[in-house]
Amino acid sequence: MPDRRNLKDHLIHPAFSQIGKISDQEGTETYVVGGFVRDVLLGRKREVYDIDIVTVGSGIDLATKVAASLRPGLKVSVFKNFGTAMFRFNDIDFEFVGARRESYRHESRKPIVEDGTLEDDQKRRDFTINALAICLNSDRFGELLDPFDGVGDLANKLIKTPLEPEITFSDDPLRMLRAIRFATQLNFIIEEKTLTAIQTQSNRLGIVSKERITDEINKIMLTPTPSIGFKLLEKTGLLAIILPEVQKLKGRETRNGIGHKDNFYHTLEVLDRISKNTDNLWLRWAALLHDVAKPVTKRFDERLGWTFHAHNFIGEKMLPSIFDRLKLPLNEKLKYVQKMVSLHMRPIVLSEEEVTDSAVRRLLFDAGDDIDDLMTLCEADITSKNPEKVSRFLSNFQLVREKLKDIEEKDALRNFQPPITGEIIMETFSLQPGREIGILKSAIKEAILEGEIHNNYEDAYQFMLTKGKELGLAAKA
Ligand code: CTP
């Protein structure tokens, strides 16, 4: 049960008492609202980066006066159109807004926004647990105002809108996604009426900018159990709008009595498993998308059963358009996720066979610095319910890891640079640019990967001379 007795003990930041003092002088009521209050009541320990202040008056005036009193010259950013202002003090962003209410005129369906009371402001917020306010004025410092029983919903772990959900969501459809994000972050349940409203209004997410949507998805991705969010996204219809490719992973088919696993639930299991071992957002994205091409590559073969041939490579090719659509970065982050998706089956295939040095060397060559992340993904990908299979895979992986360590020490293959360059080859055999150079370079690389020679200049040079001779090339005297 959240503790609401000693709220003033949580207002130790010097800005709070100062805001209260200036507010007293101005004759206005001022409150701290939103996430800060929610997290205090939840006892949620985390770094505070922003604090929302609402005043029954002008947010811009109050912010300006408080900033000047805290530190002369403290910069205030003013957003006149929104009637908001903010400043940063001791590494925290304080955002000020005047309490508002919306009203409808007969002649127009478009709401007009007017000055309002604290309660008018609270009812326009997204969820009851985010509509809690603590007074900062000196005589009521620390007093909690909770007209929608947000404290009860915190205790019952409920995400619920203060007004009819249709109204709250039509104010800002992103809130449908925020409901799921908070449910995932806090491990709360979305109240039934609120959940139904998301289901019926899901298509309204279309009017929200991709950046805001992706921001919420990333927050879901970074929770300890992201599957909670993705199951809700699927259930409400939002997943089909945001990530139809992941939605299509859902379902299982049976033919000739042979079924395949539901790749959506498998993917979520992999995502949860990897989240226990890494906070790397992009490795988590790789887990979400590792099987994304399974639906498009799925075939039924009388002899082999279900196959998903080359789904890793097709998946790699699908990623740029997904990243572009979601406004995810199209730089080395995309390349990294592509690499993970394209290589995600390699260690598994490797450990199904005899783990040879040469196969491990090739894996190291292809994965480079990201080899450990790849192994983390592959270990998360083992979701088999057959304990014998799981322990065989894991012990083979252990062998792969050990060999990786050995080979890395010997050959420094992680960031492979060919020991013999094209220039050296041309110089040695007095060649002009041409196909022989490519042939020799790849023969050297193959010899290193096969373990025939070590990854150093002397070995590679001797090998080049022998190979050149075989090709009928004469080395300069
Ligand atoms: N808010 C809202 N509707 C939105 C966004 C925000 O009503 N679409 C209100 C909520 O009262 C919310 C507050 O603005 O608590 C601050 O929003 P934000 O900083 O985005 O979220 P927090 O609740 O502070 O949570 P977190 O910091 O975890 O994102």
Side-chain angles (χ1 to χ4, degrees), residues 226-236 238-240 243-252 260-272 287-292 294-295 308 383:
S227 66
I228 299 174
F230 281 94
K231 283 179 190 161
L232 284 167
L233 287 171
E234 199 281 321
K235 187 173 174 180
T236 52
L238 292 177
L239 188 66
L243 272 167
E245 300 85 353
V246 176
Q247 172 72 48
K248 286 192 187 112
L249 291 170
K250 192 172 177 227
R252 48 205 317 174
H260 65 74
K261 66 179 169 222
D262 184 313
N263 288 305
F264 178 63
Y265 292 108
H266 161 71
T267 292
L268 295 190
E269 211 179 323
V270 177
L271 182 56
D272 282 352
L288 182 72
L289 298 175
H290 76 286
D291 276 347
V292 74
K294 276 201 167 169
F308 304 90
T383 61

Side-chain angles (χ1 to χ4, degrees), residues 14-31 53 55-56 58-71 87 96 136-139 141:
F16 285 129
S17 53
Q18 194 60 19
I19 294 168
K21 218 163 91 190
I22 304 282
S23 213
D24 291 347
Q25 286 164 15
E26 298 295 304
T28 55
E29 292 167 29
T30 302
Y31 303 86
I53 304 292
T55 185
V56 185
S58 162
I60 298 176
D61 280 0
L62 183 64
T64 313
K65 287 178 179 147
V66 172
S69 75
L70 284 171
R71 191 194 305 142
F87 58 75
F96 288 71
L136 296 177
N137 292 82
S138 314
D139 55 343
F141 195 72

Side-chain angles (χ1 to χ4, degrees), residues 34-35 38 46 52 125-126 130 172 175 178 181 219:
R38 178 197 66 221
R46 58 173 199 151
D52 295 288
R125 291 183 177 266
D126 52 3
N130 286 344
D172 178 5
R175 289 170 168 173
R178 283 172 62 90
R181 189 252 290 183
K219 286 183 177 167

Side-chain angles (χ1 to χ4, degrees), residues 76 87 94 151 162 214 231 274 326 344 361 408 416 424 426 438:
V76 181
F87 58 75
F94 286 87
V151 169
T214 300
K231 283 179 190 161
I274 210 161
L326 294 177
H344 82 266
R361 228 180 261 115
E408 194 182 346
F416 181 80
I424 298 173
M426 290 195 285

